[in-house]
C-alpha cells in the first residue's frame, strides 16, 4: 500500500516533538525533515507539553519544513489529535502509548471494517511495546501490560498496515 502512494501526505502522532529532544523526538526530528526534502507534506500531531511542564508550547509551529499541530494535555500523556486522518496518505503512530493511540487504532480498525480506511497506518513502537515492565510505575505497568496483551495486540494485528522497527528488540 505504501509503495502506491501518490500524494505523499504523512501525519505523525507522538506525545512530544520539537523542542523536546529525547529518543523518539530526535528520531522524528531527523526523519520528518528528510521526508519534506523528498517532497512529502509532513504534519506532526503532538501535545503542547514538554517533559517538565503541561501545555506551554504554541498550538501551531513549523520546524525544518514540518508542520506541527499541538493539542492540550489532560494530565500526563492524555491528549487527542483531531484531524489526524484528514487528507493523510500515511498515518504514523510513534511509541505505543495508551492515549491517544488506542482511540486512533480503534477508529482505524472500524474504518477498515466498513471499507472507508484510505490511509496506510504505520506503528513505530520505539520501545513503547516493551518487555521492560520494571521501568514503569505499578499502576502504569498494570494498565499497559493488560493493554498490550489484549486489545493492543488485537489492534496491531487488525488495524496496522506496517510496523517500523527502530531497534533490534
Amino acid at each position: 500500500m505504501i509503495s502506491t502512494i501518490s500524494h505523499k501526505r504523512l501525519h505523525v502522532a507522538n506525545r512530544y516533538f520539537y523542542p523536546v529532544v529525547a529518543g523518539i523526538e530526535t528520531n522524528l526530528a531527523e526523519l520528518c525533515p528528510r521526508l519534506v526534502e523528498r517532497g512529502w507534506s509532513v504534519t506532526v500531531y503532538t501535545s503542547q507539553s514538554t517533559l517538565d511542564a503541561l501545555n506551554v508550547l504554541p498550538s501551531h509551529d513549523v520546524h525544518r519544513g514540518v508542520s506541527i499541530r499541538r493539542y492540550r494535555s489532560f494530565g500526563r500523556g492524555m491528549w487527542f489529535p483531531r484531524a489526524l486522518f484528514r487528507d493523510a496518505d500515511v498515518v504514523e503512530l510513534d511509541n505505543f502509548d495508551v492515549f491517544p493511540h488506542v482511540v486512533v487504532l480503534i477508529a482505524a480498525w472500524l474504518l477498515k471494517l466498513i471499507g472507508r480506511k484510505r490511509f496506510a497506518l504505520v506503528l513505530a513502537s520505539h520501545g513503547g511495546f516493551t518487555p521492560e515492565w520494571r521501568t514503569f510505575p505499578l499502576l502504569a505497568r498494570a494498565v499497559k501490560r493488560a493493554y498490550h496483551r489484549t486489545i493492543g495486540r488485537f489492534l496491531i494485528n487488525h488495524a496496522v498496515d506496517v510496523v517500523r522497527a527502530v531497534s533490534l528488540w
Side-chain angles (χ1 to χ4, degrees):
M1 179 179 220
I2 291 179
S3 62
T4 62
I5 295 170
S6 59
H7 293 98
K8 298 182 179 180
R9 297 171 299 204
L10 171 64
H11 293 187
V12 178
N14 191 55
R15 182 183 309 169
Y16 304 112
F17 188 62
Y18 182 84
V20 175
V21 285
I24 297 168
E25 295 74 27
T26 300
N27 178 275
L28 289 174
E30 291 300 319
L31 172 67
C32 293
R34 289 182 185 179
L35 291 172
V36 169
E37 290 170 4
R38 293 180 179 202
W40 284 72
S41 168
V42 180
T43 304
V44 174
Y45 294 79
T46 187
S47 72
Q48 289 182 306
S49 299
T50 67
L51 296 172
D52 301 329
L54 290 175
N55 304 316
V56 294
L57 298 171
S59 60
H60 291 83
D61 205 350
V62 175
H63 173 69
R64 294 174 53 196
V66 177
S67 177
I68 305 168
R69 300 208 39 190
R70 294 189 182 98
Y71 296 91
R72 294 191 60 75
S73 292
F74 304 96
R76 290 282 172 207
M78 292 186 65
W79 61 283
F80 296 96
R82 292 177 297 283
L84 181 64
F85 300 152
R86 190 177 306 140
D87 299 325
D89 297 305
V90 178
V91 173
E92 179 173 326
L93 299 177
D94 277 80
N95 215 330
F96 194 59
D97 293 328
V98 176
F99 292 104
H101 294 63
V102 70
V103 176
V104 173
L105 288 166
I106 289 170
W109 176 62
L110 291 173
L111 288 170
K112 188 174 184 178
L113 277 178
I114 63 172
R116 306 229 353 154
K117 184 170 168 272
R118 306 280 186 250
F119 53 88
L121 182 59
V122 177
L123 174 67
S125 66
H126 290 279
F129 197 84
T130 180
E132 298 292 327
W133 297 110
R134 71 185 185 296
T135 63
F136 293 92
L138 186 59
L139 180 59
R141 181 183 324 159
V143 170
K144 281 186 72 79
R145 183 179 265 170
Y147 171 51
H148 287 190
R149 292 181 175 175
T150 57
I151 192 168
R153 180 179 295 156
F154 174 84
L155 291 170
I156 287 174
N157 288 323
H158 292 87
V160 173
D161 297 297
V162 175
V163 175
R164 180 171 73 95
V166 294
S167 70
L168 293 176
W169 58 276

